[in-house]
Amino acid sequence: MTDWTAVRAEDFAVPADRPLGELVSELSELLRSADPTERDSTAYSTLATWIGRGVLSGDQLRELGDEMARRFGDAEIQARTFAPLILDCIVSAGVYEASWVPPFERWYVAETDLRGYDAKLGWLHAVAHGADLLGTLGLYPAVEPVEMLRLGIGRLLTPTEHVLRDMEDDRLSYALACTLTRSELTVEDATDWLVPAFTGITPVGLSVSPVNTNTTRTLRALYVLVDRGVRLPEASDVTPVPHSAEIKAQLVEVLRLVSRSYF
């Protein structure tokens, strides 16, 4: 087994004593580890660095992406939640397969373990990690942006007893804002994805549910990004959101369901 501590200490230099394919396979398996140091500090950090530096070939990235897509059905929560992070790196590097999207979509709305941090397992962050991939796919030309917008609101409106507490709402609002910068979106595209919220949110006075809380916190953050513009990945300045006035008006109508007496 490779001394991954030494690899990190040497700025993630690729070990020369083993084939790259074997190294990637070992790191891929470590992504399933219940040990957060092995999974996060070693496997994820090394793979993300190598992908960003172009160490892996296109075929190797596709093979790794296929494995990550299968991980969405893994029995271990940490295996499921680190799969989108690696797919995010792969797609950001310019390698994309349409077959990766449906498993991601099915998992993102169906995942029931929404813990951000666990004392033993470390960071899990299903909603946040999924949001990172959602935002990258939302910007990718081959992906329909409306599909990602609907996925985001679907995740928020899925019944849960868990209240998000580790900045997941900001991560998802940023992903949605990035997707809303796509120039091909019509006014209807940019606003109609919010329609399910009118029936998915319980009106004020009846209950204060986790769904209400998670959804409204995310949409309030989204309002700010739509209003101010969003700084896309690696961009030096903010990008205006097309149809911002119409999107903000629709967001206000949704938010008034739980804040009717405030504005």
Side-chain angles (χ1 to χ4, degrees):
M1 179 156 176
T2 298
D3 183 353
W4 294 109
T5 301
V7 171
R8 291 201 310 271
E10 296 173 5
D11 191 31
F12 299 100
V14 181
D17 59 341
R18 294 176 63 194
L20 180 59
E22 289 185 9
L23 296 169
V24 172
S25 294
E26 186 175 316
L27 290 167
S28 177
E29 186 58 30
L30 287 174
L31 280 173
R32 299 184 71 256
S33 175
D35 182 336
T37 299
E38 288 185 346
R39 184 182 68 252
D40 205 333
S41 300
T42 295
Y44 170 68
S45 297
T46 304
L47 282 172
T49 300
W50 286 0
I51 294 169
R53 291 177 179 174
V55 172
L56 279 65
S57 69
D59 287 343
Q60 288 172 321
L61 290 173
R62 288 183 180 86
E63 183 178 351
L64 182 60
D66 289 342
E67 175 60 27
M68 293 302 105
R70 291 190 291 270
R71 291 277 173 90
F72 289 122
D74 200 284
E76 298 290 336
I77 177 61
Q78 71 275 3
R80 299 194 299 272
T81 62
F82 271 71
L85 287 182
I86 297 300
L87 278 175
D88 181 16
C89 294
I90 293 171
V91 176
S92 296
V95 175
Y96 165 81
E97 293 293 334
S99 60
W100 299 338
V101 178
F104 165 58
E105 293 178 319
R106 289 192 294 270
W107 165 77
Y108 198 45
V109 294
E111 181 59 65
T112 58
D113 190 341
L114 305 185
R115 289 174 293 166
Y117 185 82
D118 178 80
K120 292 183 178 179
L121 295 175
W123 286 106
L124 300 173
H125 246 176
V127 174
H129 291 178
D132 293 349
L133 177 57
L134 187 155
T136 296
L137 291 173
L139 288 170
Y140 201 79
V143 177
E144 288 290 338
V146 171
E147 189 176 352
M148 292 299 105
L149 294 171
R150 290 172 178 167
L151 179 61
I153 197 66
R155 173 62 272 178
L156 289 169
L157 296 176
T158 298
T160 181
E161 294 303 313
H162 182 84
V163 175
L164 302 175
R165 52 165 290 176
D166 291 306
M167 303 296 289
E168 297 95 341
D169 40 11
D170 282 355
R171 297 268 280 273
L172 184 49
S173 66
Y174 176 73
L176 292 168
C178 287
T179 304
L180 285 166
T181 64
R182 291 278 292 270
S183 61
E184 64 266 44
L185 287 169
T186 65
V187 171
E188 291 75 18
D189 292 336
T191 56
D192 285 356
W193 64 277
L194 285 163
V195 169
F198 288 104
T199 54
I201 289 178
T202 305
V204 66
L206 298 181
S207 73
V208 181
S209 69
V211 168
N212 276 20
T213 299
N214 297 338
T215 303
T216 54
R217 286 177 178 173
T218 302
L219 297 185
R220 285 170 186 152
L222 179 60
Y223 185 100
V224 175
L225 292 169
V226 171
D227 182 63
R228 303 288 293 181
V230 57
R231 194 180 303 276
L232 299 178
E234 301 184 9
S236 59
D237 203 355
V238 297
T239 296
V241 175
H243 316 302
S244 62
E246 293 86 353
I247 297 169
K248 288 190 294 181
Q250 185 79 315
L251 287 169
V252 165
E253 292 307 308
V254 174
L255 293 172
R256 288 186 75 245
L257 293 172
V258 294
S259 305
R260 191 173 300 277
S261 62
Y262 300 158
F263 56 88

